[in-house]
Coordinates of all heavy atoms in Angstrom, one line a residue:
K1375 N -142.3 99.9 51.4 CA -142.6 101.3 51.1 C -141.7 102.3 51.9 O -141.2 102.0 53.0 CB -144.1 101.7 51.4 CG -145.1 100.9 50.5 CD -146.5 101.3 50.8 CE -147.5 100.6 49.9 NZ -148.9 100.9 50.1
P1376 N -141.3 103.4 51.3 CA -140.4 104.2 51.9 C -140.8 104.7 53.4 O -139.9 104.8 54.3 CB -140.5 105.5 51.1 CG -140.8 105.1 49.7 CD -141.7 103.9 50.0
W1377 N -142.1 104.9 53.6 CA -142.6 105.2 55.1 C -142.4 104.2 56.0 O -142.0 104.4 57.1 CB -144.0 105.8 55.1 CG -145.0 104.7 54.7 CD1 -145.5 104.4 53.4 CD2 -145.6 103.8 55.6 NE1 -146.4 103.4 53.5 CE2 -146.5 103.1 54.8 CE3 -145.5 103.6 56.9 CZ2 -147.2 102.0 55.3 CZ3 -146.3 102.6 57.5 CH2 -147.2 101.9 56.7
T1378 N -142.5 102.9 55.5 CA -142.2 101.8 56.4 C -140.9 101.7 56.8 O -140.4 101.5 58.0 CB -142.7 100.5 55.7 OG1 -144.0 100.6 55.3 CG2 -142.5 99.3 56.6
R1379 N -139.9 101.9 55.8 CA -138.4 101.9 56.0 C -138.1 103.1 57.1 O -137.2 102.7 58.0 CB -137.7 102.0 54.9 CG -137.8 100.8 53.9 CD -136.6 100.8 52.8 NE -136.6 102.0 52.0 CZ -137.2 102.2 50.9 NH1 -137.8 101.2 50.4 NH2 -137.1 103.4 50.2
R1380 N -138.7 104.2 56.9 CA -138.4 105.3 57.8 C -138.9 105.0 59.2 O -138.1 105.3 60.2 CB -139.0 106.5 57.2 CG -138.5 107.1 56.0 CD -139.0 108.5 55.6 NE -138.8 108.9 54.3 CZ -139.7 108.8 53.3 NH1 -140.9 108.4 53.5 NH2 -139.4 109.2 52.1
I1381 N -139.9 104.4 59.3 CA -140.4 104.1 60.7 C -139.5 103.1 61.3 O -139.1 103.3 62.6 CB -141.9 103.6 60.6 CG1 -142.9 104.7 60.3 CG2 -142.3 102.9 61.9 CD1 -144.3 104.2 60.1
I1382 N -139.1 102.1 60.6 CA -138.1 101.1 61.2 C -136.9 101.7 61.6 O -136.3 101.3 62.7 CB -138.1 99.9 60.2 CG1 -139.3 99.1 59.9 CG2 -137.0 98.9 60.8 CD1 -139.3 98.1 59.0
S1383 N -136.4 102.6 60.7 CA -135.1 103.2 60.9 C -135.2 104.1 62.2 O -134.3 104.1 63.1 CB -134.7 104.1 59.8 OG -134.6 103.2 58.6
I1384 N -136.2 104.9 62.3 CA -136.4 105.8 63.4 C -136.5 105.0 64.7 O -135.9 105.4 65.8 CB -137.7 106.7 63.3 CG1 -137.4 107.6 62.1 CG2 -138.0 107.5 64.6 CD1 -138.7 108.4 61.7
L1385 N -137.2 103.9 64.8 CA -137.3 103.1 66.0 C -136.0 102.5 66.4 O -135.7 102.4 67.5 CB -138.4 101.8 65.6 CG -139.8 102.4 65.5 CD1 -140.7 101.2 65.2 CD2 -140.3 102.9 66.9
F1386 N -135.3 102.1 65.3 CA -133.9 101.6 65.6 C -133.0 102.7 66.3 O -132.4 102.5 67.3 CB -133.2 101.1 64.4 CG -131.9 100.7 64.5 CD1 -131.4 99.5 65.2 CD2 -130.8 101.6 64.1 CE1 -130.0 99.2 65.4 CE2 -129.4 101.3 64.3 CZ -129.0 100.0 64.9
V1387 N -133.0 103.8 65.7 CA -132.2 104.9 66.2 C -132.6 105.3 67.7 O -131.8 105.5 68.5 CB -132.2 106.1 65.3 CG1 -131.5 107.3 65.9 CG2 -131.6 105.8 63.9
L1388 N -133.9 105.4 67.9 CA -134.5 105.7 69.3 C -134.1 104.7 70.3 O -133.7 105.0 71.3 CB -136.0 106.0 69.1 CG -136.5 107.1 68.4 CD1 -138.0 107.1 68.4 CD2 -135.9 108.5 69.1
G1389 N -134.2 103.4 69.7 CA -133.8 102.3 70.7 C -132.3 102.4 71.0 O -132.0 102.1 72.2
M1390 N -131.5 102.6 70.1 CA -130.1 102.6 70.3 C -129.8 103.8 71.2 O -128.9 103.7 72.2 CB -129.4 102.9 68.9 CG -127.9 103.1 69.0 SD -127.2 103.5 67.4 CE -127.9 105.1 67.1
L1391 N -130.3 105.1 71.0 CA -130.1 106.2 71.9 C -130.5 106.0 73.2 O -129.8 106.4 74.3 CB -130.7 107.4 71.3 CG -130.2 108.0 69.9 CD1 -131.0 109.1 69.4 CD2 -128.6 108.4 70.1
A1392 N -131.7 105.3 73.3 CA -132.2 105.1 74.7 C -131.3 104.1 75.5 O -131.2 104.3 76.7 CB -133.6 104.4 74.5
Y1393 N -130.8 103.1 74.9 CA -129.9 102.1 75.5 C -128.6 102.9 76.1 O -128.3 102.7 77.2 CB -129.5 101.1 74.6 CG -128.4 100.1 75.1 CD1 -128.6 99.2 76.2 CD2 -127.0 100.3 74.7 CE1 -127.7 98.5 76.8 CE2 -126.0 99.6 75.3 CZ -126.3 98.6 76.3 OH -125.4 97.9 76.9
Y1394 N -128.1 103.7 75.2 CA -126.7 104.2 75.6 C -127.0 105.4 76.6 O -126.1 105.8 77.3 CB -126.0 104.9 74.3 CG -125.2 103.6 73.6 CD1 -125.9 103.0 72.5 CD2 -124.1 103.1 74.1 CE1 -125.2 102.0 71.8 CE2 -123.5 102.1 73.5 CZ -124.1 101.5 72.3 OH -123.4 100.4 71.7
T1395 N -128.2 106.0 76.6 CA -128.6 107.0 77.6 C -128.8 106.3 78.9 O -128.3 106.7 80.0 CB -129.8 107.7 77.2 OG1 -129.6 108.4 75.9 CG2 -130.3 108.8 78.3
F1396 N -129.4 105.2 78.9 CA -129.7 104.4 80.1 C -128.5 104.0 80.8 O -128.4 104.0 82.0 CB -130.6 103.2 79.7 CG -131.0 102.3 80.9 CD1 -131.9 102.7 81.8 CD2 -130.3 101.1 81.1 CE1 -132.1 101.9 82.9 CE2 -130.5 100.3 82.1 CZ -131.5 100.7 83.1
I1397 N -127.5 103.5 80.0 CA -126.2 103.0 80.6 C -125.2 104.2 80.9 O -124.2 104.0 81.3 CB -125.6 101.9 79.8 CG1 -125.1 102.5 78.5 CG2 -126.5 100.7 79.6 CD1 -124.2 101.4 77.7
N1398 N -125.6 105.4 80.4 CA -124.8 106.7 80.6 C -123.4 106.4 80.0 O -122.4 106.7 80.6 CB -124.6 106.9 82.1 CG -124.2 108.3 82.3 OD1 -124.3 109.3 81.3 ND2 -123.6 108.6 83.4
N1399 N -123.4 106.0 78.8 CA -122.1 105.7 78.1 C -122.2 106.1 76.5 O -122.2 105.2 75.6 CB -121.7 104.3 78.2 CG -120.4 103.9 77.6 OD1 -119.6 105.0 77.4 ND2 -120.2 102.8 77.3
F1400 N -122.3 107.4 76.3 CA -122.4 107.8 74.9 C -121.2 107.6 74.1 O -121.2 107.6 72.8 CB -122.9 109.2 74.7 CG -124.3 109.5 74.7 CD1 -125.0 109.8 76.0 CD2 -125.0 109.2 73.6 CE1 -126.4 110.0 75.8 CE2 -126.4 109.3 73.6 CZ -127.0 109.8 74.7
I1401 N -120.0 107.5 74.8 CA -118.8 107.1 74.1 C -118.8 105.8 73.5 O -118.3 105.6 72.5 CB -117.6 107.3 75.1 CG1 -117.4 108.7 75.6 CG2 -116.3 106.7 74.5 CD1 -116.3 108.9 76.6
G1402 N -119.6 104.9 74.2 CA -119.7 103.5 73.7 C -120.5 103.4 72.5 O -120.5 102.3 71.8
I1403 N -121.1 104.4 72.0 CA -121.9 104.3 70.8 C -121.1 104.1 69.6 O -121.7 103.7 68.5 CB -122.8 105.6 70.7 CG1 -124.1 105.4 69.9 CG2 -121.9 106.7 70.0 CD1 -125.1 106.6 70.0
N1404 N -119.8 104.2 69.7 CA -118.9 103.9 68.6 C -119.0 102.4 68.2 O -118.6 102.0 67.1 CB -117.4 104.3 68.9 CG -116.9 103.4 70.0 OD1 -116.4 102.3 69.7 ND2 -116.9 103.8 71.2
E1405 N -119.5 101.6 69.2 CA -119.7 100.1 68.9 C -120.7 100.0 67.6 O -120.4 98.8 66.8 CB -120.3 99.5 70.0 CG -119.5 99.4 71.3 CD -120.2 98.9 72.6 OE1 -121.4 99.2 72.6 OE2 -119.6 98.3 73.3
V1406 N -121.6 100.9 67.5 CA -122.5 100.8 66.4 C -121.8 100.7 65.0 O -122.4 100.1 64.1 CB -123.6 101.9 66.5 CG1 -124.6 101.7 65.4 CG2 -124.2 101.8 68.0

Side-chain angles (χ1 to χ4, degrees):
K1375 293 182 178 180
W1377 65 266
T1378 306
R1379 292 198 302 266
R1380 291 192 193 102
I1381 290 175
I1382 295 173
S1383 301
I1384 291 170
L1385 290 175
F1386 171 77
V1387 173
L1388 290 176
M1390 177 186 66
L1391 293 175
Y1393 170 77
Y1394 284 101
T1395 300
F1396 177 76
I1397 66 171
N1398 195 26
N1399 182 24
F1400 270 101
I1401 295 177
I1403 208 167
N1404 69 84
E1405 296 172 323
V1406 179

